[in-house]
């Protein structure tokens, strides 16, 4: 049996309350989150970004990692990356600097490995937050706590982590290819 969590304070509490590890599988090519609309518009216009809009997340990651908790994710990237993913490549080094381990897996490889096509968070090896989107906007999360189901997501995480490369290596390789 699962329960439903809507975006906002209840979901934010999931991200704050993990004890050891929070891991995200991120596989959409584009997200249309309201708090990202203006920063993305500025990036598209070539305007500078002070990342003030991202500061709450960066502070949360830094606080978690200072206490020994792990925050990590694997992002599935299309080849070539979508416009949104190119923007994320410019923004995400700040996440890495805050302590988040971000890795990249090409879409074709994720497909070959049979990895899921829905985003999720895995918290402390015991809970999955299966994320649902409507028109590329986060609509809510289905919480899964059944050990059998959670084990399936843990196996996917292990496969993804075994094949993904660190974000900064991906970024370097992408820069080399585009020369």
């Amino acid at each position: 049996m699962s329960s439903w969590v809507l975006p906002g304070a209840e979901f934010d509490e999931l991200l704050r309350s993990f004890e050891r590890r929070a891991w995200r599988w991120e596989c959409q090519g584009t997200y249309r989150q309201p708090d990202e609309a203006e920063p993305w518009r500025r990036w598209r216009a070539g305007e500078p970004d002070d990342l003030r809009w991202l500061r709450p997340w960066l502070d949360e990651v830094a606080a978690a990692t200072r206490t020994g908790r792990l925050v990590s994710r694997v992002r599935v990237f299309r080849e070539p990356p979508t416009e949104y993913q190119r923007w994320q490549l410019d923004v995400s080094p700040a996440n890495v600097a805050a302590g988040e381990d971000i890795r990249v897996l090409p879409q074709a490889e994720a497909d070959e490995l049979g990895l899921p096509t829905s985003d999720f968070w895995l918290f402390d090896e015991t809970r999955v937050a299966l994320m649902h989107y409507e028109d590329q906007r986060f609509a809510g999360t289905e919480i899964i706590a059944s050990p059998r189901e959670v084990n399936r997501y843990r196996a996917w995480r292990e496969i993804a982590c075994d094949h993904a490369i660190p974000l900064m290596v991906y970024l370097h390789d992408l820069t080399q290819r585009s020369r």
Side-chain angles (χ1 to χ4, degrees), residues 39-135:
W40 193 26
R41 183 208 61 77
R42 285 194 309 265
W43 177 83
R44 293 172 87 197
E47 298 171 10
D49 185 351
D50 63 8
L51 300 180
R52 190 174 313 151
W53 61 276
L54 190 56
R55 181 58 43 206
W57 174 249
L58 299 176
D59 291 346
E60 208 167 302
V61 168
T65 57
R66 272 194 306 274
T67 63
R69 297 182 297 157
L70 303 174
V71 180
S72 54
R73 73 178 75 209
V74 170
R75 285 188 172 141
V76 175
F77 266 41
R78 302 219 166 67
E79 296 290 334
T82 66
E83 183 181 38
Y84 180 89
Q85 289 169 337
R86 290 193 315 273
W87 174 55
Q88 287 297 293
L89 288 171
D90 283 350
V91 171
S92 296
N95 296 56
V96 173
E100 185 174 359
D101 177 16
I102 300 178
R103 295 175 182 268
V104 175
L105 186 65
Q107 177 76 55
E109 192 169 352
D111 292 345
E112 287 173 19
L113 293 167
L115 294 170
T117 58
S118 296
D119 287 26
F120 66 90
W121 280 93
L122 176 58
F123 296 108
D124 294 324
E125 314 296 315
T126 61
R127 288 183 301 166
V128 171
L130 181 61
M131 302 174 78
H132 296 275
Y133 291 86
E134 293 175 6
D135 297 322

Side-chain angles (χ1 to χ4, degrees), residues 4 26-27 30 38 47 53-54 70 72 84 107 131 136 149 165 176:
W4 187 259
E26 189 174 287
C27 60
T30 301
E38 181 57 19
E47 298 171 10
W53 61 276
L54 190 56
L70 303 174
S72 54
Y84 180 89
Q107 177 76 55
M131 302 174 78
Q136 299 173 323
E149 284 296 302
I165 63 170
Q176 296 298 84

